[in-house]
PDB file of all heavy atoms in Angstrom:
ATOM      1  N   PHE Q   1     -35.780 -17.014 -26.189  1.00  0.00           N
ATOM      2  CA  PHE Q   1     -36.053 -15.841 -27.017  1.00  0.00           C
ATOM      3  C   PHE Q   1     -35.571 -16.064 -28.447  1.00  0.00           C
ATOM      4  O   PHE Q   1     -36.184 -15.577 -29.389  1.00  0.00           O
ATOM      5  CB  PHE Q   1     -35.377 -14.603 -26.422  1.00  0.00           C
ATOM      6  CG  PHE Q   1     -36.179 -13.923 -25.353  1.00  0.00           C
ATOM      7  CD1 PHE Q   1     -36.419 -14.545 -24.145  1.00  0.00           C
ATOM      8  CD2 PHE Q   1     -36.701 -12.661 -25.569  1.00  0.00           C
ATOM      9  CE1 PHE Q   1     -37.150 -13.924 -23.157  1.00  0.00           C
ATOM     10  CE2 PHE Q   1     -37.441 -12.029 -24.587  1.00  0.00           C
ATOM     11  CZ  PHE Q   1     -37.666 -12.658 -23.372  1.00  0.00           C
ATOM     12  N   ASP Q   2     -34.491 -16.812 -28.608  1.00  0.00           N
ATOM     13  CA  ASP Q   2     -33.929 -17.052 -29.936  1.00  0.00           C
ATOM     14  C   ASP Q   2     -34.753 -18.049 -30.750  1.00  0.00           C
ATOM     15  O   ASP Q   2     -34.661 -18.076 -31.973  1.00  0.00           O
ATOM     16  CB  ASP Q   2     -32.494 -17.591 -29.826  1.00  0.00           C
ATOM     17  CG  ASP Q   2     -31.556 -16.593 -29.181  1.00  0.00           C
ATOM     18  OD1 ASP Q   2     -31.818 -15.376 -29.276  1.00  0.00           O
ATOM     19  OD2 ASP Q   2     -30.564 -17.032 -28.568  1.00  0.00           O
ATOM     20  N   LEU Q   3     -35.528 -18.878 -30.084  1.00  0.00           N
ATOM     21  CA  LEU Q   3     -36.233 -19.961 -30.771  1.00  0.00           C
ATOM     22  C   LEU Q   3     -37.677 -19.632 -31.129  1.00  0.00           C
ATOM     23  O   LEU Q   3     -38.392 -20.493 -31.635  1.00  0.00           O
ATOM     24  CB  LEU Q   3     -36.178 -21.227 -29.905  1.00  0.00           C
ATOM     25  CG  LEU Q   3     -34.753 -21.742 -29.632  1.00  0.00           C
ATOM     26  CD1 LEU Q   3     -34.791 -22.928 -28.684  1.00  0.00           C
ATOM     27  CD2 LEU Q   3     -34.050 -22.097 -30.932  1.00  0.00           C
ATOM     28  N   VAL Q   4     -38.118 -18.419 -30.873  1.00  0.00           N
ATOM     29  CA  VAL Q   4     -39.488 -18.021 -31.216  1.00  0.00           C
ATOM     30  C   VAL Q   4     -39.628 -18.010 -32.737  1.00  0.00           C
ATOM     31  O   VAL Q   4     -38.938 -17.267 -33.432  1.00  0.00           O
ATOM     32  CB  VAL Q   4     -39.804 -16.622 -30.633  1.00  0.00           C
ATOM     33  CG1 VAL Q   4     -41.119 -16.097 -31.169  1.00  0.00           C
ATOM     34  CG2 VAL Q   4     -39.814 -16.675 -29.115  1.00  0.00           C
ATOM     35  N   LEU Q   5     -40.513 -18.865 -33.238  1.00  0.00           N
ATOM     36  CA  LEU Q   5     -40.743 -18.952 -34.683  1.00  0.00           C
ATOM     37  C   LEU Q   5     -41.649 -17.797 -35.121  1.00  0.00           C
ATOM     38  O   LEU Q   5     -42.749 -17.631 -34.588  1.00  0.00           O
ATOM     39  CB  LEU Q   5     -41.383 -20.288 -35.033  1.00  0.00           C
ATOM     40  CG  LEU Q   5     -40.562 -21.523 -34.660  1.00  0.00           C
ATOM     41  CD1 LEU Q   5     -41.367 -22.792 -34.889  1.00  0.00           C
ATOM     42  CD2 LEU Q   5     -39.256 -21.547 -35.439  1.00  0.00           C
ATOM     43  N   HIS Q   6     -41.195 -17.001 -36.076  1.00  0.00           N
ATOM     44  CA  HIS Q   6     -41.927 -15.806 -36.478  1.00  0.00           C
ATOM     45  C   HIS Q   6     -43.343 -16.109 -36.969  1.00  0.00           C
ATOM     46  O   HIS Q   6     -44.293 -15.425 -36.593  1.00  0.00           O
ATOM     47  CB  HIS Q   6     -41.154 -15.037 -37.541  1.00  0.00           C
ATOM     48  CG  HIS Q   6     -39.892 -14.440 -37.020  1.00  0.00           C
ATOM     49  ND1 HIS Q   6     -38.887 -14.001 -37.843  1.00  0.00           N
ATOM     50  CD2 HIS Q   6     -39.454 -14.201 -35.758  1.00  0.00           C
ATOM     51  CE1 HIS Q   6     -37.890 -13.517 -37.112  1.00  0.00           C
ATOM     52  NE2 HIS Q   6     -38.211 -13.643 -35.853  1.00  0.00           N
ATOM     53  N   GLY Q   7     -43.474 -17.119 -37.820  1.00  0.00           N
ATOM     54  CA  GLY Q   7     -44.798 -17.454 -38.349  1.00  0.00           C
ATOM     55  C   GLY Q   7     -45.766 -17.848 -37.246  1.00  0.00           C
ATOM     56  O   GLY Q   7     -46.923 -17.404 -37.222  1.00  0.00           O
ATOM     57  N   ARG Q   8     -45.307 -18.672 -36.321  1.00  0.00           N
ATOM     58  CA  ARG Q   8     -46.158 -19.104 -35.212  1.00  0.00           C
ATOM     59  C   ARG Q   8     -46.518 -17.924 -34.316  1.00  0.00           C
ATOM     60  O   ARG Q   8     -47.653 -17.789 -33.867  1.00  0.00           O
ATOM     61  CB  ARG Q   8     -45.455 -20.195 -34.414  1.00  0.00           C
ATOM     62  CG  ARG Q   8     -46.369 -20.851 -33.385  1.00  0.00           C
ATOM     63  CD  ARG Q   8     -45.673 -21.934 -32.591  1.00  0.00           C
ATOM     64  NE  ARG Q   8     -45.321 -23.072 -33.425  1.00  0.00           N
ATOM     65  CZ  ARG Q   8     -44.630 -24.112 -32.981  1.00  0.00           C
ATOM     66  NH1 ARG Q   8     -44.209 -24.168 -31.742  1.00  0.00           N
ATOM     67  NH2 ARG Q   8     -44.348 -25.115 -33.781  1.00  0.00           N
ATOM     68  N   LEU Q   9     -45.572 -17.039 -34.068  1.00  0.00           N
ATOM     69  CA  LEU Q   9     -45.820 -15.861 -33.235  1.00  0.00           C
ATOM     70  C   LEU Q   9     -46.862 -14.958 -33.888  1.00  0.00           C
ATOM     71  O   LEU Q   9     -47.796 -14.489 -33.222  1.00  0.00           O
ATOM     72  CB  LEU Q   9     -44.522 -15.085 -33.001  1.00  0.00           C
ATOM     73  CG  LEU Q   9     -44.652 -13.752 -32.267  1.00  0.00           C
ATOM     74  CD1 LEU Q   9     -45.234 -13.946 -30.871  1.00  0.00           C
ATOM     75  CD2 LEU Q   9     -43.307 -13.055 -32.206  1.00  0.00           C
ATOM     76  N   LEU Q  10     -46.739 -14.717 -35.181  1.00  0.00           N
ATOM     77  CA  LEU Q  10     -47.690 -13.861 -35.875  1.00  0.00           C
ATOM     78  C   LEU Q  10     -49.094 -14.471 -35.862  1.00  0.00           C
ATOM     79  O   LEU Q  10     -50.083 -13.749 -35.714  1.00  0.00           O
ATOM     80  CB  LEU Q  10     -47.211 -13.588 -37.301  1.00  0.00           C
ATOM     81  CG  LEU Q  10     -45.960 -12.704 -37.396  1.00  0.00           C
ATOM     82  CD1 LEU Q  10     -45.402 -12.702 -38.807  1.00  0.00           C
ATOM     83  CD2 LEU Q  10     -46.244 -11.293 -36.910  1.00  0.00           C
ATOM     84  N   THR Q  11     -49.184 -15.783 -35.976  1.00  0.00           N
ATOM     85  CA  THR Q  11     -50.488 -16.452 -35.887  1.00  0.00           C
ATOM     86  C   THR Q  11     -51.094 -16.261 -34.509  1.00  0.00           C
ATOM     87  O   THR Q  11     -52.292 -15.974 -34.373  1.00  0.00           O
ATOM     88  CB  THR Q  11     -50.339 -17.955 -36.198  1.00  0.00           C
ATOM     89  OG1 THR Q  11     -49.848 -18.102 -37.533  1.00  0.00           O
ATOM     90  CG2 THR Q  11     -51.655 -18.692 -36.052  1.00  0.00           C
ATOM     91  N   LYS Q  12     -50.285 -16.404 -33.476  1.00  0.00           N
ATOM     92  CA  LYS Q  12     -50.785 -16.224 -32.110  1.00  0.00           C
ATOM     93  C   LYS Q  12     -51.246 -14.789 -31.888  1.00  0.00           C
ATOM     94  O   LYS Q  12     -52.270 -14.557 -31.252  1.00  0.00           O
ATOM     95  CB  LYS Q  12     -49.703 -16.609 -31.092  1.00  0.00           C
ATOM     96  CG  LYS Q  12     -49.445 -18.105 -31.069  1.00  0.00           C
ATOM     97  CD  LYS Q  12     -48.349 -18.469 -30.095  1.00  0.00           C
ATOM     98  CE  LYS Q  12     -48.090 -19.967 -30.125  1.00  0.00           C
ATOM     99  NZ  LYS Q  12     -47.314 -20.442 -28.996  1.00  0.00           N
ATOM    100  N   PHE Q  13     -50.515 -13.819 -32.424  1.00  0.00           N
ATOM    101  CA  PHE Q  13     -50.936 -12.428 -32.317  1.00  0.00           C
ATOM    102  C   PHE Q  13     -52.259 -12.213 -33.029  1.00  0.00           C
ATOM    103  O   PHE Q  13     -53.158 -11.564 -32.501  1.00  0.00           O
ATOM    104  CB  PHE Q  13     -49.878 -11.490 -32.913  1.00  0.00           C
ATOM    105  CG  PHE Q  13     -49.053 -10.792 -31.882  1.00  0.00           C
ATOM    106  CD1 PHE Q  13     -47.763 -11.202 -31.642  1.00  0.00           C
ATOM    107  CD2 PHE Q  13     -49.569  -9.734 -31.151  1.00  0.00           C
ATOM    108  CE1 PHE Q  13     -46.984 -10.566 -30.698  1.00  0.00           C
ATOM    109  CE2 PHE Q  13     -48.804  -9.101 -30.200  1.00  0.00           C
ATOM    110  CZ  PHE Q  13     -47.502  -9.513 -29.974  1.00  0.00           C
ATOM    111  N   ALA Q  14     -52.382 -12.747 -34.232  1.00  0.00           N
ATOM    112  CA  ALA Q  14     -53.615 -12.578 -34.993  1.00  0.00           C
ATOM    113  C   ALA Q  14     -54.805 -13.168 -34.237  1.00  0.00           C
ATOM    114  O   ALA Q  14     -55.890 -12.582 -34.216  1.00  0.00           O
ATOM    115  CB  ALA Q  14     -53.473 -13.230 -36.366  1.00  0.00           C
ATOM    116  N   ASN Q  15     -54.591 -14.312 -33.599  1.00  0.00           N
ATOM    117  CA  ASN Q  15     -55.670 -14.962 -32.844  1.00  0.00           C
ATOM    118  C   ASN Q  15     -56.012 -14.240 -31.547  1.00  0.00           C
ATOM    119  O   ASN Q  15     -57.041 -14.522 -30.938  1.00  0.00           O
ATOM    120  CB  ASN Q  15     -55.313 -16.415 -32.549  1.00  0.00           C
ATOM    121  CG  ASN Q  15     -55.266 -17.259 -33.801  1.00  0.00           C
ATOM    122  OD1 ASN Q  15     -55.873 -16.926 -34.807  1.00  0.00           O
ATOM    123  ND2 ASN Q  15     -54.518 -18.345 -33.758  1.00  0.00           N
ATOM    124  N   SER Q  16     -55.145 -13.317 -31.123  1.00  0.00           N
ATOM    125  CA  SER Q  16     -55.396 -12.601 -29.867  1.00  0.00           C
ATOM    126  C   SER Q  16     -56.346 -11.428 -30.050  1.00  0.00           C
ATOM    127  O   SER Q  16     -56.761 -10.822 -29.074  1.00  0.00           O
ATOM    128  CB  SER Q  16     -54.075 -12.103 -29.271  1.00  0.00           C
ATOM    129  OG  SER Q  16     -53.604 -10.968 -29.982  1.00  0.00           O
ATOM    130  N   GLY Q  17     -56.672 -11.096 -31.279  1.00  0.00           N
ATOM    131  CA  GLY Q  17     -57.581  -9.979 -31.521  1.00  0.00           C
ATOM    132  C   GLY Q  17     -56.888  -8.637 -31.648  1.00  0.00           C
ATOM    133  O   GLY Q  17     -57.535  -7.599 -31.591  1.00  0.00           O
ATOM    134  N   VAL Q  18     -55.573  -8.650 -31.832  1.00  0.00           N
ATOM    135  CA  VAL Q  18     -54.820  -7.410 -31.989  1.00  0.00           C
ATOM    136  C   VAL Q  18     -55.268  -6.715 -33.280  1.00  0.00           C
ATOM    137  O   VAL Q  18     -55.521  -7.365 -34.295  1.00  0.00           O
ATOM    138  CB  VAL Q  18     -53.296  -7.714 -32.016  1.00  0.00           C
ATOM    139  CG1 VAL Q  18     -52.487  -6.514 -32.459  1.00  0.00           C
ATOM    140  CG2 VAL Q  18     -52.832  -8.176 -30.661  1.00  0.00           C
ATOM    141  N   ASP Q  19     -55.368  -5.422 -33.239  1.00  0.00           N
ATOM    142  CA  ASP Q  19     -55.746  -4.608 -34.387  1.00  0.00           C
ATOM    143  C   ASP Q  19     -54.843  -4.936 -35.582  1.00  0.00           C
ATOM    144  O   ASP Q  19     -53.634  -5.127 -35.416  1.00  0.00           O
ATOM    145  CB  ASP Q  19     -55.620  -3.124 -34.005  1.00  0.00           C
ATOM    146  CG  ASP Q  19     -56.081  -2.202 -35.098  1.00  0.00           C
ATOM    147  OD1 ASP Q  19     -55.304  -1.981 -36.051  1.00  0.00           O
ATOM    148  OD2 ASP Q  19     -57.214  -1.699 -35.007  1.00  0.00           O
ATOM    149  N   SER Q  20     -55.408  -4.965 -36.773  1.00  0.00           N
ATOM    150  CA  SER Q  20     -54.658  -5.349 -37.968  1.00  0.00           C
ATOM    151  C   SER Q  20     -53.498  -4.393 -38.242  1.00  0.00           C
ATOM    152  O   SER Q  20     -52.468  -4.803 -38.767  1.00  0.00           O
ATOM    153  CB  SER Q  20     -55.575  -5.432 -39.183  1.00  0.00           C
ATOM    154  OG  SER Q  20     -56.155  -4.162 -39.447  1.00  0.00           O
ATOM    155  N   ARG Q  21     -53.635  -3.116 -37.880  1.00  0.00           N
ATOM    156  CA  ARG Q  21     -52.530  -2.171 -38.078  1.00  0.00           C
ATOM    157  C   ARG Q  21     -51.344  -2.528 -37.183  1.00  0.00           C
ATOM    158  O   ARG Q  21     -50.188  -2.400 -37.585  1.00  0.00           O
ATOM    159  CB  ARG Q  21     -52.996  -0.746 -37.805  1.00  0.00           C
ATOM    160  CG  ARG Q  21     -54.031  -0.269 -38.850  1.00  0.00           C
ATOM    161  CD  ARG Q  21     -54.632   1.020 -38.441  1.00  0.00           C
ATOM    162  NE  ARG Q  21     -55.435   0.762 -37.222  1.00  0.00           N
ATOM    163  CZ  ARG Q  21     -56.153   1.655 -36.599  1.00  0.00           C
ATOM    164  NH1 ARG Q  21     -56.178   2.899 -37.022  1.00  0.00           N
ATOM    165  NH2 ARG Q  21     -56.858   1.348 -35.533  1.00  0.00           N
ATOM    166  N   VAL Q  22     -51.635  -2.997 -35.973  1.00  0.00           N
ATOM    167  CA  VAL Q  22     -50.571  -3.421 -35.064  1.00  0.00           C
ATOM    168  C   VAL Q  22     -49.911  -4.681 -35.623  1.00  0.00           C
ATOM    169  O   VAL Q  22     -48.688  -4.837 -35.551  1.00  0.00           O
ATOM    170  CB  VAL Q  22     -51.118  -3.657 -33.637  1.00  0.00           C
ATOM    171  CG1 VAL Q  22     -50.056  -4.232 -32.723  1.00  0.00           C
ATOM    172  CG2 VAL Q  22     -51.678  -2.359 -33.068  1.00  0.00           C
ATOM    173  N   MET Q  23     -50.725  -5.564 -36.181  1.00  0.00           N
ATOM    174  CA  MET Q  23     -50.185  -6.791 -36.785  1.00  0.00           C
ATOM    175  C   MET Q  23     -49.186  -6.458 -37.899  1.00  0.00           C
ATOM    176  O   MET Q  23     -48.122  -7.071 -37.982  1.00  0.00           O
ATOM    177  CB  MET Q  23     -51.313  -7.661 -37.355  1.00  0.00           C
ATOM    178  CG  MET Q  23     -52.049  -8.474 -36.330  1.00  0.00           C
ATOM    179  SD  MET Q  23     -51.009  -9.696 -35.515  1.00  0.00           S
ATOM    180  CE  MET Q  23     -50.380 -10.625 -36.901  1.00  0.00           C
ATOM    181  N   VAL Q  24     -49.534  -5.500 -38.729  1.00  0.00           N
ATOM    182  CA  VAL Q  24     -48.630  -5.096 -39.821  1.00  0.00           C
ATOM    183  C   VAL Q  24     -47.334  -4.557 -39.232  1.00  0.00           C
ATOM    184  O   VAL Q  24     -46.237  -4.891 -39.701  1.00  0.00           O
ATOM    185  CB  VAL Q  24     -49.304  -4.045 -40.736  1.00  0.00           C
ATOM    186  CG1 VAL Q  24     -48.305  -3.418 -41.689  1.00  0.00           C
ATOM    187  CG2 VAL Q  24     -50.459  -4.673 -41.491  1.00  0.00           C
TER     188      VAL Q  24
END
């Protein structure tokens, strides 16, 4: 849990099709 890279996580979320408001 401590090693999750924020940038990589946000990219994975964006690629999942999550609504842009949720992404923000």
Side-chain angles (χ1 to χ4, degrees):
F1 275 67
D2 297 333
L3 299 176
V4 170
L5 300 173
H6 292 163
R8 189 180 293 176
L9 174 61
L10 291 169
T11 299
K12 290 178 182 195
F13 257 104
N15 293 337
S16 76
V18 168
D19 184 281
S20 62
R21 293 171 293 183
V22 174
M23 281 296 304
V24 169

